[in-house]
Amino acid sequence: MDSASPPEVSDAKPSFRKPANDAANWKYRCHSSADMSDSSSSDETEASNGARIMADAEEVVSMEEICEDEGGVEEEEQLDDWGDWGMDEDDSEPSYLCLFCDLSFASSHTLFDHCRAEHHFDFHGIRRALDLDFYGSIKLINYIRAQVADNKCWICGALLACKKDLQNHLHAALTLGKDVKLAWDSDIYLKPFMYEDALLHSLPPDEDGEEDYTATADKEDLMRELMCAKDLTDICIGDETGRSEEQAVDECINNNNHFEMTVVNGMAAVEDFGTSCTKQKDKQLRIAFDNVAAREIKSINEDYFGSYDSFGIHREMISDKARTQTYRDAICNNPSLMKGATVMDVGCGTGILSLFAAQAGASRVIGVDASKKMAAVAKDNGLLLEGRLNGDACCSSGVINVVQGMIEELDAFIQVPPNSIDVLVSEWMGYCLLYESMLSSVIYARDQWLRPGGAILPDIATIFAAGFGRDATSIPFWENVYGFDMSCIGREVLGDAAKFPIVDIVDSRDIVTEAVPLKSFDLATMRQDEMDFTSSFELELKTDIPKDSVNATPGVAWCYGIVLWFDTAFSGRFCKETPCVLSTSPYCTETHWSQTIFTFREAIALATSPSPSGDDSAAVGTEKCPAIRIRSRMSITRAAVYRNIDISLEITAVSLDGRKRTWPPQIFDL
């Protein structure tokens, strides 16, 4: 199970005007340039302001008329209420103030670029994810300005001591979803928080309550999809400009970076394709983009399930004794659960769990997997049930019915009555528990077919966290390579490790803090949105820390990062005779899941004694002032890339005298 390649990091920086009194900001993370085209926003803003002012006038005066009659006395009298309209152009340009710091920008586009790169605030991404309309966007902007004025984090509500601490604390909005209660969903935030906030006048409008639409499409796929339409010329431009069809599609795509085209309630389509575009044509475009996006997901699924067509990966999983033996014990050693039960195996693979269920006395087993291999295995063992579940005659006395396909598409292959499954079993776990997003398929099957009070195996899953020491990194290896010191390479590798999660085995002797539970899931009751979560926890040094984890300076040990693992329990709630636990802990037998490692940008010194002699002038977490605990906050959410997950990590070192030191958040993609 290979993790997806990490996104490339762009060095592009938006241009901005910096006030003289502004302090330098710490740069957390740089993304690629803006989602939307770089059309001049200053012109749009001037037109917007002009329209607002002229609406109050008795007579509408065009820009051309103002320029032509600028020197006339009669026209000057008409324009008395226009204030500074005739001032120098540089003075009249609107200034867009950052939502989080004191920087000002010449356009809203560069402002939002800055917010995304420096403050982890992706306005356009959040607006799309939450389907915010024009008024919802205004509420969001005013809410953030109000929170920042009080030194509060707009996402988690944390209260910080000062604006600088708030900027260091800001993190990505990983837990937002359409079903989340929005803190700014109140009409009080329609009132501008900041006087003459130019940003509120530059937000793109919505129309008729239609949803914003964004899709990332491959150029060739989009071209093929549009060619399937009745009339490509009508859809794109009405052929009024003389452009070829391919040129039209090129222009349509290239108007936004990375082949990304945004149609905001039909407005962008009008601007890009000409005034002859109608809503029907916009709808055709949306269908085209939807089809391309669906094909992308289908392609990812095909690659994912195709990787399991290889017997090598199945051998690795079956050979994982801790994994396979625990499932066998839970299924075969709980006769009151399995005898005569109807069992569904989600993601059955070679069918080893289905075979265990049949062996344990299940009356019927439905194995569902997109792989083609399992039916032959069941047939060779005399357990294959030929025929269908709708009453058709069967050709053998076997109990296993094999369905090749995704669980979400099961109804297209067989009819399984609702509430007819007694036991739902699945080995759905991925790296860091949630990688691969198979848990959502298990929850779907539970909600569709598991009877009330039915069993789900396993039924409890818990993620744990602990701090690891120096020997869990690559530093010791590079310090002595056949007698040569290559520490410079080790330091560079360690720096790279702070950008990407690493799946590897961690020796229990390299764990330097006590383990703490990060998140626990009850599979019998949890909802899919619980897969996205944020957890706060504290790490303290172990009492029995190995001597080789202690620094040369007495009383100091070093923590280089956080390692995650998980346990899945077959609890006594369903497995009454033989409860079991499958653990991927460093303290237990190694499994093919290993552990997932998140490396700090800077190692943190921890005090090994309760009363270390610390230097009050030194930074907390250093050798001269070791910390006594590490306060951590971690968010895990399903990523925009299908089947991936995103992780954000915040850490604060706390000294014995209560002083704190906070590092900028780290963002990882798995």
Side-chain angles (χ1 to χ4, degrees), residues 8 96 112 143 328 426 437 469 599 623 632 668:
E8 295 184 358
Y96 298 88
F112 286 135
Y143 171 78
R328 183 182 183 184
S426 178
S437 298
T599 305
E623 192 171 69
S632 305
F668 301 90

Side-chain angles (χ1 to χ4, degrees), residues 438-631:
M438 256 199 72
L439 178 55
S440 60
S441 296
V442 176
I443 296 173
Y444 176 86
R446 180 202 68 190
D447 294 342
Q448 292 292 318
W449 298 292
L450 189 64
R451 66 171 175 81
I456 184 167
L457 302 181
D459 60 316
I460 302 293
T462 305
I463 303 176
F464 292 90
F468 64 85
R470 184 174 179 275
D471 288 344
T473 71
S474 61
I475 293 178
F477 172 84
W478 293 107
E479 285 180 338
N480 186 353
V481 181
Y482 289 93
F484 297 100
D485 184 358
M486 298 186 179
S487 299
C488 58
I489 297 178
R491 289 190 293 271
E492 184 174 343
V493 171
L494 191 66
D496 291 339
K499 302 175 183 177
F500 314 111
I502 298 172
V503 177
D504 202 355
I505 296 293
V506 176
D507 194 304
S508 61
R509 293 171 295 182
D510 298 331
I511 302 297
V512 297
T513 73
E514 300 291 348
V516 295
L518 185 68
K519 178 70 173 179
S520 187
F521 302 97
D522 184 344
L523 274 70
T525 59
M526 72 173 291
R527 304 183 310 272
Q528 288 201 24
D529 59 10
E530 293 179 44
M531 296 168 59
D532 304 328
F533 68 90
T534 299
S535 178
S536 299
F537 54 96
E538 291 190 353
L539 299 176
E540 296 184 351
L541 206 61
K542 290 169 56 176
T543 56
D544 57 344
I545 183 172
K547 292 182 179 180
D548 54 5
S549 296
V550 179
N551 192 48
T553 301
V556 175
W558 292 91
C559 180
Y560 280 78
I562 292 176
V563 56
L564 299 187
W565 67 86
F566 63 86
D567 289 357
T568 51
F570 304 78
S571 74
R573 172 170 49 177
F574 301 125
C575 298
K576 300 186 184 303
E577 290 93 347
T578 311
C580 307
V581 175
L582 168 59
S583 179
T584 63
S585 167
Y587 299 97
C588 298
T589 304
E590 293 181 6
T591 70
H592 74 283
W593 285 286
S594 304
Q595 289 85 39
T596 309
I597 301 169
F598 302 89
T599 305
F600 296 156
R601 292 191 182 98
E602 177 184 348
I604 299 176
L606 291 171
T608 59
S609 58
S611 55
S613 55
D615 184 348
D616 292 342
S617 63
V620 178
T622 60
E623 192 171 69
K624 293 183 178 180
C625 183
I628 60 169
R629 68 176 62 92
I630 301 173
R631 290 180 181 172

Side-chain angles (χ1 to χ4, degrees), residues 317 323 327 345-347 353 425-429 438 592-593:
M317 291 188 294
R323 164 196 180 269
Y327 270 91
D345 181 3
V346 179
L353 304 187
V425 62
S426 178
E427 194 276 83
W428 53 268
M429 299 82 73
M438 256 199 72
H592 74 283
W593 285 286

Side-chain angles (χ1 to χ4, degrees), residues 40-66:
S40 174
S41 62
S42 59
D43 292 341
E44 297 172 0
T45 307
E46 288 179 3
S48 176
N49 291 340
R52 178 167 52 84
I53 297 171
M54 290 188 290
D56 298 330
E58 294 180 357
E59 180 178 357
V60 177
V61 183
S62 68
M63 286 289 295
E64 290 79 2
E65 291 171 342
I66 293 170

Side-chain angles (χ1 to χ4, degrees), residues 340-388:
T342 300
V343 179
M344 179 178 284
D345 181 3
V346 179
C348 59
T350 57
I352 186 65
L353 304 187
S354 296
L355 295 169
F356 287 157
Q359 186 182 56
S363 62
R364 176 166 290 166
V365 181
I366 305 169
V368 185
D369 198 280
S371 173
K372 304 176 181 179
K373 312 292 185 180
M374 192 243 168
V377 176
K379 186 174 183 179
D380 289 346
N381 286 273
L383 295 170
L384 182 64
L385 173 67
E386 303 287 356
R388 301 178 62 85

